[in-house]
Amino acid sequence: MQEILPILQQCPLFDGIAAQDLGAMLGCLSARKMAMKKGQTLLHEGDSAESIGIVLEGAVQILREDYFGNRSILGLAETGELFGESFACAATDSLPVSVVAARDSVL
């Protein structure tokens, strides 16, 4: 966990939180760490919007696919950045976007 503390401290979600409190806070939030390969889909359009993510290493694309399968990239979250927070906090029932690893990533 020590290796990710500097990344978490630069994340707006943890602004003003002391390093010694982050571990306990992550436990309360049921945080988990996962690795993804480039091109792997983390969240699909239509999935429930109940969690947020933080990119610890790499990058993820937030994208939308139309009826014909054409993809539009709406955003890119890189190391230290959040994704999914607007949908989780708005209590959206289902995601209107997908999240795909743009590079090998750790979240």
Side-chain angles (χ1 to χ4, degrees):
M1 164 131 137
Q2 292 298 339
E3 71 279 0
I4 65 171
L5 284 179
I7 297 166
L8 293 177
Q9 288 177 310
Q10 74 180 13
C11 180
L13 182 64
F14 300 109
D15 186 42
I17 305 297
Q20 64 268 21
D21 296 332
L22 275 177
M25 189 173 190
L26 292 174
C28 289
L29 294 171
S30 301
R32 61 188 188 278
K33 188 174 171 184
M34 65 183 303
M36 295 182 61
K37 294 287 185 190
K38 179 180 179 179
Q40 186 178 354
T41 302
L42 172 65
L43 299 169
H44 292 88
E45 186 174 337
D47 285 351
S48 62
E50 57 192 33
S51 60
I52 66 171
I54 301 170
V55 180
L56 301 174
E57 183 180 313
V60 296
Q61 292 176 331
I62 295 84
L63 50 92
R64 184 141 202 190
E65 197 167 313
D66 69 16
Y67 178 79
F68 300 104
N70 299 310
R71 287 183 165 184
S72 297
I73 299 170
L74 304 177
L76 179 72
E78 297 182 290
T79 302
E81 295 182 328
L82 294 168
F83 61 91
E85 73 283 3
S86 57
F87 303 113
C89 292
T92 304
D93 290 333
S94 63
L95 290 170
V97 297
S98 295
V99 178
V100 177
R103 302 188 283 269
D104 288 351
S105 301
V106 178
L107 312 173

